Amino acid sequence: VLSAKFLSVIVRSVIVCLIMAASTDTVKLTYFDGRGVIEPTRIMLSIAKVSYEDFRYPIDISIYSKPEFDAAKAEGKFALNMGRAPLFEINGVEIAQSKTIDRYVARKYGFSGDSDIEAAHIDMIAEHVSDIKKSYGDARSGKKGDEAAAAKSEWLSTKLPEWTGKLEASIAMLGGTGGFSVGKKLSYADIRLYEMTCDFFDDKDAAAAAIASCPKISASVDAVKSAAADWLASRPVTAI
């Protein structure tokens, strides 16, 4: 039977090997100068202390002007992603699709749980978040001006609390501990909960109010704020 001391040495050795492997990777993330769909990846890379090139194309959101990106697209730079950003490159190999990138980074750098079941539950919470965000988009779809503003306000004040209540109940069933939504450590699920609550909605007060009575979600968001404090304090302030 292996002693606890010997097992501890093995675990430390594995962690050191993983850190060394990560430090030797050449990583580049290409997106616009904004948080957008790729911010969960940036947060995970920051927490995992991964050195990477954060390449950002300028974008004027007021007129949706992005000439440098358009030129690169015309040259075929973004063919892998069907003419869209983002792209994630590791050791010369590119990966496209934001959620595919998220999940690759989560698996590689330790945000996918400690078992296949935990990994599935993490994906489940991430999909719950996507459903909530889609509902918000659907509520505003086809509307402009005052009508769009009214639809947005109505959804945030009535539908979002309903959604977060259901999400809180789902997370409570998973038995996560230590303030984490799944398992015993920070995961991609926590990152997505933070991104939805703190980055996605323009009305931060409404988002905060919607989770005020959701202790599991609130604890998860706080865990991300703590783990990613350096990045959150230093990341660029952008229009998107």
Side-chain angles (χ1 to χ4, degrees):
V1 179
L2 296 176
S3 69
K5 183 176 180 181
F6 184 65
L7 286 173
S8 177
V9 170
I10 292 176
V11 170
R12 286 199 301 270
S13 298
V14 170
I15 291 173
V16 169
C17 289
L18 287 172
I19 292 173
M20 290 179 64
S23 66
T24 59
D25 289 330
T26 300
V27 178
K28 179 179 180 179
L29 184 62
T30 300
Y31 191 55
F32 300 106
D33 186 20
R35 295 171 187 174
V37 298
I38 209 60
E39 193 65 10
T41 286
R42 292 194 184 112
I43 292 172
M44 287 187 285
L45 291 174
S46 172
I47 295 171
K49 307 299 183 186
V50 177
S51 177
Y52 72 102
E53 179 183 355
D54 187 10
F55 185 90
R56 298 168 179 243
Y57 282 101
I59 182 170
D60 183 345
I61 197 66
S62 65
I63 56 174
Y64 203 66
S65 174
K66 43 185 179 35
E68 292 90 345
F69 170 82
D70 292 339
K73 175 182 174 180
E75 294 171 359
K77 167 69 176 175
F78 294 92
L80 185 67
N81 203 13
M82 300 191 294
R84 302 167 298 175
L87 288 176
F88 180 85
E89 182 179 329
I90 182 164
N91 300 327
V93 179
E94 291 184 329
I95 302 170
Q97 286 284 357
S98 61
K99 297 303 173 283
T100 300
I101 294 168
D102 278 355
R103 287 180 168 90
Y104 172 80
V105 168
R107 289 193 301 271
K108 184 170 180 63
Y109 297 112
F111 297 93
S112 286
D114 290 327
S115 69
D116 289 343
I117 291 296
E118 284 190 3
H121 283 158
I122 289 164
D123 275 348
M124 179 189 77
I125 297 302
E127 290 304 307
H128 286 346
V129 169
S130 293
D131 288 343
I132 295 171
K133 293 166 72 172
K134 182 180 183 301
S135 174
Y136 181 59
D138 289 346
R140 298 179 300 160
S141 180
K143 301 177 179 67
K144 295 181 180 180
D146 291 343
E147 184 183 12
K152 170 183 169 181
S153 178
E154 172 70 14
W155 190 93
L156 288 169
S157 63
T158 60
K159 296 301 181 182
L160 181 56
E162 291 179 11
W163 277 111
T164 53
K166 294 175 182 178
L167 182 58
E168 176 76 8
S170 177
I171 294 171
M173 295 177 69
L174 302 180
T177 60
F180 308 120
S181 58
V182 179
K184 300 178 181 179
K185 67 181 184 180
L186 198 72
S187 73
Y188 176 54
D190 300 305
I191 305 297
R192 289 296 304 279
L193 290 168
Y194 169 85
E195 178 261 343
M196 177 188 74
T197 304
C198 299
D199 282 348
F200 178 70
F201 296 110
D202 293 334
D203 190 334
K204 308 303 183 189
D205 291 339
I211 67 165
S213 59
C214 300
K216 295 288 186 180
I217 299 176
S218 296
S220 170
V221 169
D222 287 343
V224 175
K225 287 180 178 179
S226 176
D230 289 345
W231 171 249
L232 298 178
S234 63
R235 64 182 178 173
V237 177
T238 58
I240 57 173

